[in-house]
Amino acid sequence: MLDYISMAFVVAVKVFKKTTPNGKVTVYLGKRDFIDHMDYCDPVDGVVVVDTEYLKGRKVYSQLVTTYRYGREEDEVMGVKFSKEMVIGQDQVVPMINSKMELTPVQEKLLKKLGPNAYPFTFIFPEMAPSSVTLQPAEEDQGKPMGVEYCVRTYVAENEDQKSHKRSSVTLAIKKLQHAPASRGRRLPSSLVSKGFTFSNGKINLEVTLDREIYYHGEKIAANVIVSNNSRKSVRNIRCMVIQHVEITMINSQFSRHVASLESREGCPITPGASLSKTFYLIPLARTNKDIRGVALDGHLKEDDVNLASSTLVSEGKCPADAIGIVVSYSIRVKLNCGTLGGELVTDVPFKLLHPTEGTIERQRFNAMKKMQSIERHRYENSLYVNEEEDNIVFEDFARLRMNEPQ
């Protein structure tokens, strides 16, 4: 028999790593995306490997840090800053304080493989912690983009309050995301509006219905439009748009961006007494909005498989107005052009745009599509088949997949 037949086809666990500039401390994370399931959130679990002879009595600390940037960095003058950095979790990793820490499966594998100089750490996101969102900058913007970012910072110091040195510290950017519920529900969002005209009898009725309430990124949105013209005016054309609504809670600022649109004259003009029923299909994608400043993204900026930011969800019993950070929502907007004197008839139908939940068929399809899109950048297939006698762990350099970290 050939040697390769003895190899077991086992999908490896991919682990991200990053090392300090002096090479003495390395941090390992099992993933970069941590999911908020509404009733609980994935813990940030990792392992630190350190050269104990280098410490010489010093300690290793890890922090979970969030940065909320609500203004342009180039506008910061005379000491005024438009960002706020908060340490939302901190732990002394070396020497360990909590020796009875409950370990995750990834931590157990890493500790077994990396040896006695490996030490685990775990952080829990606070309740109501905002999701990772980045507002797309314009080409002329030079500073860091606005948004909410998270990172794991690890450093060597005499005590936790001592300022860390760049050569002995390392920062790994991570994301906190929300996924759709397991069931999309059966509700079909709809809106019915009418418009009357001065010195003219009758009205124009517009009804818009969506085929579902929750859509996944990359899915086609179907909006069924029914127009009944009982007036003396004519409808010249119909425009359908996907609107992304963004609220920056820190400064109570709100704005909207069109992330998909189309205009149709098919069946127009809709003359008095006539009606029209038509379904419009739209697909909101980040890659078709690369030149639009202020579009909310899910945290990535330097990768081609970027997504639009997901809709902001709140836990059951919580008020949507209590959401903090950058709040994102979506709606379908339909406009009827009734002529120069007739004006426009407009209605909005809200919906949710989210990632599929883990374990569903839709999630498998979503992951397959993302993998196909990024196949040229992430070549690790050669490591996906390993000998079953070895720990099936693939280490990938975190620096190569750095997100929003300064060079």
Side-chain angles (χ1 to χ4, degrees), residues 118-134:
Y119 301 86
F121 65 88
T122 302
F123 294 116
I124 303 298
F125 284 99
E127 187 179 4
M128 296 295 287
S131 297
S132 299
V133 177
T134 298

Side-chain angles (χ1 to χ4, degrees), residues 17-27 48-50 54-55 58-63 65 151-157 160 162-173 399 402 405:
K17 70 173 183 177
K18 194 172 181 182
T19 305
T20 56
N22 61 12
K24 301 298 183 182
V25 180
T26 303
V27 181
V48 174
V49 176
V50 60
Y54 166 74
L55 293 180
R58 293 176 296 178
K59 302 173 183 178
V60 178
Y61 298 93
S62 278
Q63 298 175 332
V65 182
C151 70
V152 175
R153 181 186 298 156
T154 303
Y155 61 97
V156 178
E160 61 182 22
Q162 183 180 357
K163 186 177 180 180
S164 60
H165 294 282
K166 192 172 183 178
R167 65 179 181 273
S168 60
S169 61
V170 60
T171 301
L172 293 79
R402 185 183 293 116
E405 203 173 328

Side-chain angles (χ1 to χ4, degrees), residues 60-337:
V60 178
Y61 298 93
S62 278
Q63 298 175 332
L64 179 60
V65 182
T66 179
T67 303
Y68 186 3
R69 179 168 293 279
Y70 49 89
R72 298 198 310 166
E73 189 175 23
E74 51 263 45
D75 293 337
E76 297 179 348
V77 294
M78 300 181 66
V80 177
K81 280 192 167 292
F82 297 128
S83 66
K84 186 174 182 62
E85 181 181 288
M86 292 170 283
V87 178
I88 57 178
Q90 182 160 324
D91 190 17
Q92 177 182 309
V93 183
V94 184
M96 285 187 64
I97 297 179
N98 183 13
S99 59
K100 298 181 179 180
M101 177 190 301
E102 185 176 350
L103 302 177
T104 63
V106 172
Q107 286 176 324
E108 291 178 351
K109 286 187 176 182
L110 287 173
L111 292 176
K112 178 181 176 182
K113 186 174 184 67
L114 298 174
N117 289 340
Y119 301 86
F121 65 88
T122 302
F123 294 116
I124 303 298
F125 284 99
E127 187 179 4
M128 296 295 287
S131 297
S132 299
V133 177
T134 298
L135 299 186
Q136 185 167 259
E139 290 185 2
E140 61 271 14
D141 292 342
Q142 301 295 325
K144 296 179 181 178
M146 292 188 290
V148 177
E149 300 175 356
Y150 290 94
C151 70
V152 175
R153 181 186 298 156
T154 303
Y155 61 97
V156 178
E158 298 286 348
N159 55 70
E160 61 182 22
D161 297 325
Q162 183 180 357
K163 186 177 180 180
S164 60
H165 294 282
K166 192 172 183 178
R167 65 179 181 273
S168 60
S169 61
V170 60
T171 301
L172 293 79
I174 62 174
K175 291 193 301 177
K176 178 180 180 289
L177 302 175
Q178 289 180 321
H179 283 182
S183 174
R184 301 204 210 191
R186 298 182 179 180
R187 178 175 174 269
L188 303 180
S190 63
S191 175
L192 176 61
V193 294
S194 301
K195 181 179 177 65
F197 302 92
T198 307
F199 307 117
S200 178
N201 295 327
K203 294 181 178 180
I204 296 178
N205 300 316
L206 169 62
E207 182 179 1
V208 181
T209 304
L210 303 182
D211 60 339
R212 63 188 55 163
E213 182 183 12
I214 296 176
Y215 293 92
Y216 300 141
H217 290 285
E219 272 192 337
K220 186 183 296 183
I221 299 173
N224 185 38
V225 178
I226 301 176
V227 181
S228 300
N229 189 356
N230 300 317
S231 71
R232 297 181 179 179
K233 302 291 183 179
S234 294
V235 177
R236 297 186 176 183
N237 59 51
I238 303 173
R239 191 179 182 195
C240 188
M241 299 162 285
V242 177
I243 310 296
Q244 183 190 72
H245 308 277
V246 179
E247 178 183 0
I248 305 177
T249 58
M250 180 70 78
I251 55 177
N252 198 24
S253 173
Q254 300 177 355
F255 59 90
S256 300
R257 294 289 184 268
H258 297 177
V259 292
S261 66
L262 61 86
E263 185 174 336
S264 174
R265 296 180 180 271
E266 184 179 350
C268 298
I270 305 175
T271 56
S275 62
L276 174 69
S277 178
K278 181 177 176 62
T279 301
F280 292 86
Y281 296 97
L282 296 164
I283 305 179
L285 297 171
R287 63 173 178 265
T288 59
N289 294 276
K290 288 185 176 181
D291 299 328
I292 302 178
R293 179 182 183 182
V295 171
L297 307 175
D298 69 354
H300 284 278
L301 279 179
K302 298 180 180 179
E303 297 192 13
D304 296 333
D305 58 351
V306 61
N307 286 313
L308 294 171
S310 297
S311 300
T312 302
L313 304 178
V314 294
S315 303
E316 187 175 353
K318 300 289 185 180
C319 178
D322 294 336
I324 59 176
I326 296 181
V327 181
V328 179
S329 59
Y330 292 89
S331 67
I332 284 281
R333 178 173 298 170
V334 178
K335 285 186 178 183
L336 303 184
N337 180 5

